[in-house]
Amino acid sequence: MTSLSASPACQWPSAAWKRQFRRKLVDWYRRHARDLEWRRSRDPYRVWVSEIMLQQTQVATVADYFPRFVAEFPDVASLAAADEARVLRLWEGLGYYRRARQLHQAAKLIVAEHGGRFPSEVETVRNLPGIGRYTAGAILSIAFDARQPILEANTIRLFSRLIAYRGDPRSKSGENLLWLLAEELLPASGSSQFNQALMELGSLVCTPRAPACEPCPVRSLCPTHRDGLQDSIPPPKPKPRIEAVRELLLVVRNQDRVLLRRRHATERWAGLWDFPRFPIDGADGSSTEAVLEKLAATTGVKARVAAPLTTIKHGVTRFRITLDCHWADCLHAPRRLPTGIRWLRPTQLADYPLSTTGRKVAIAVCGGS
């Protein structure tokens, strides 16, 4: 390997190194590639759906969701014609719900502007909602064998180690360097298999902690392994400061129905339905009256807090949330509820897309109704 003069903090590969790397990687992938549902077809629609699902989500989780999603929406046209609530319901539990809404929006654009055919031009694909440089490259290379580079979590780590890059790969300079490497490593043909092999090697072998260097097919080409720097390349992300938050969720009863509200575009879990929940200060319940006032202001419903239902602890980004869930009895409800507010029978909750915690509460409601 030779030093890259523009970046002395790494070792840039020679042409001979690149040839060896491509051969060893592809040979390994042919023997060890996982049999994943979305790899059984190069249909660009299926590739696109899988790539959106795989963003910030583990393969094992997506393996459960992908077959159900494409069974209900087998092509772009069926997804574009679907009701957003149904799309979100099938996405429920995957998290990052903005991905599902953007997938739905993009399907509508593809039908309206591209005759229902997924485009094959990189700039056109990047103009679709929810698709950036990496996702466009992944879709086009995998589905069309286009010579497009990729850079995502697994390949960032893999590339950093392959050139012993000691800088921060998340910095602008580090990112630019790794994109350049991704472009130079691409073979003249066969980008579909090559890019999938890169991601597979990063996922299964070149893991964040305790990488499996011994069976790694490119171990002999890796300066990070040679110098024993696996624990320091790439440098770990700084840990975010975790903030404890407490919220009160109310299951408001009105005869045989409970109150649900649709979360606004600016809120967490936008577009999903939820039981009214509000932040509270302290653990003594002194802000309960304030919560009831907020309930009345946002839904028009006046209620009183009744028996506790359950407590759920969960994390969202840098927050660790304790969610106290209580029954509440309706004292007054307007004859006409505001938009996005509904009374529902507990049996109807199964049809509405809810957050993970909302679904847990719904199960408790149905079990206790």
Side-chain angles (χ1 to χ4, degrees):
M1 302 181 85
T2 59
S3 295
L4 181 68
S5 58
S7 182
C10 75
Q11 300 178 49
W12 202 252
S14 65
W17 187 100
K18 294 172 193 172
R19 288 194 295 271
Q20 287 187 67
F21 176 79
R22 295 182 192 114
R23 176 177 54 78
K24 289 174 179 289
L25 176 68
V26 171
D27 286 348
W28 172 85
Y29 182 70
R30 286 170 177 161
R31 296 192 306 272
H32 298 282
R34 287 171 290 185
D35 180 19
L36 302 173
E37 179 81 18
W38 49 90
R39 286 180 177 164
R40 297 172 186 171
S41 167
R42 285 173 57 179
D43 174 7
Y45 170 74
R46 293 170 66 90
V47 173
W48 169 44
V49 170
S50 69
E51 285 299 325
I52 299 299
M53 285 188 169
L54 286 164
Q55 292 173 358
Q56 297 177 286
T57 306
Q58 294 183 347
V59 167
T61 301
V62 174
D64 291 332
Y65 280 82
F66 180 82
R68 293 195 296 266
F69 194 90
V70 296
E72 178 138 357
F73 308 124
D75 50 36
V76 175
S78 58
L79 177 58
D83 183 75
E84 183 184 275
R86 184 58 185 161
V87 176
L88 290 172
R89 181 67 181 92
L90 284 176
W91 200 272
E92 186 180 302
L94 267 178
Y96 303 99
Y97 292 94
R98 185 181 180 188
R99 296 179 297 171
R101 296 194 301 275
Q102 289 178 328
L103 188 75
H104 192 214
Q105 293 163 9
K108 293 180 178 181
L109 283 175
I110 292 170
V111 168
E113 300 179 5
H114 304 286
R117 294 176 63 87
F118 195 91
S120 57
E121 304 79 21
V122 64
E123 289 305 319
T124 304
V125 173
R126 288 190 64 176
N127 284 331
L128 292 173
I131 297 183
R133 184 179 181 182
Y134 156 70
T135 305
I139 296 168
L140 293 175
S141 64
I142 294 171
F144 300 105
D145 208 24
R147 199 170 181 273
Q148 291 291 331
I150 60 167
L151 192 65
E152 43 78 59
N154 289 314
T155 52
I156 286 173
R157 182 174 59 255
L158 175 65
F159 290 159
S160 295
R161 288 171 174 165
L162 285 172
I163 61 172
Y165 178 57
R166 297 170 184 256
D168 182 359
R170 295 168 290 274
S171 67
K172 187 63 178 176
S173 59
E175 187 177 291
N176 288 340
L177 184 72
L178 297 184
W179 272 114
L180 177 61
L181 178 62
E183 290 173 355
E184 290 197 9
L185 286 180
L186 282 171
S189 61
S191 292
S192 176
Q193 188 177 59
F194 181 79
N195 278 343
Q196 290 182 83
L198 285 173
M199 292 186 282
E200 193 81 335
L201 187 67
S203 176
L204 297 181
V205 176
C206 198
T207 51
R209 294 187 180 89
C213 294
E214 289 309 309
C216 177
V218 295
R219 179 187 62 189
S220 63
L221 302 175
C222 181
T224 297
H225 166 70
R226 181 195 65 210
D227 297 336
L229 299 174
Q230 298 93 321
D231 292 337
S232 58
I233 296 178
K237 291 182 181 179
K239 293 183 179 180
R241 186 176 66 86
I242 303 300
E243 183 178 344
V245 174
R246 201 171 194 95
E247 294 180 347
L248 177 62
L249 179 147
L250 298 176
V251 180
V252 184
R253 298 176 291 199
N254 188 2
Q255 296 182 2
D256 63 341
R257 304 193 181 200
V258 295
L259 192 67
L260 229 61
R261 63 176 291 270
R262 192 175 190 186
R263 298 181 71 87
H264 301 309
T266 56
E267 293 182 285
R268 186 199 322 154
W269 307 314
L272 273 65
W273 291 81
D274 196 14
F275 300 93
R277 67 174 84 196
F278 305 92
I280 56 176
D281 300 319
D284 58 0
S286 59
S287 61
T288 301
E289 290 304 317
V291 166
L292 293 174
E293 290 175 4
K294 291 178 182 177
L295 174 71
T298 55
T299 68
V301 175
K302 295 181 179 180
R304 62 166 173 253
V305 176
L309 176 61
T310 187
T311 297
I312 300 171
K313 294 187 177 183
H314 67 111
V316 177
T317 60
R318 61 183 180 87
F319 301 101
R320 293 297 175 264
I321 302 172
T322 299
L323 183 64
D324 295 320
C325 309
H326 283 252
W327 292 104
D329 296 321
C330 175
L331 300 177
H332 170 77
R335 298 185 67 176
R336 190 184 186 94
L337 291 172
T339 302
I341 309 294
R342 294 182 185 176
W343 291 110
L344 298 173
R345 293 185 177 85
T347 54
Q348 294 177 284
L349 296 175
D351 298 326
Y352 282 70
L354 306 174
S355 67
T356 300
T357 52
R359 182 60 60 194
K360 289 179 180 178
V361 174
I363 292 171
V365 167
C366 292
S369 63

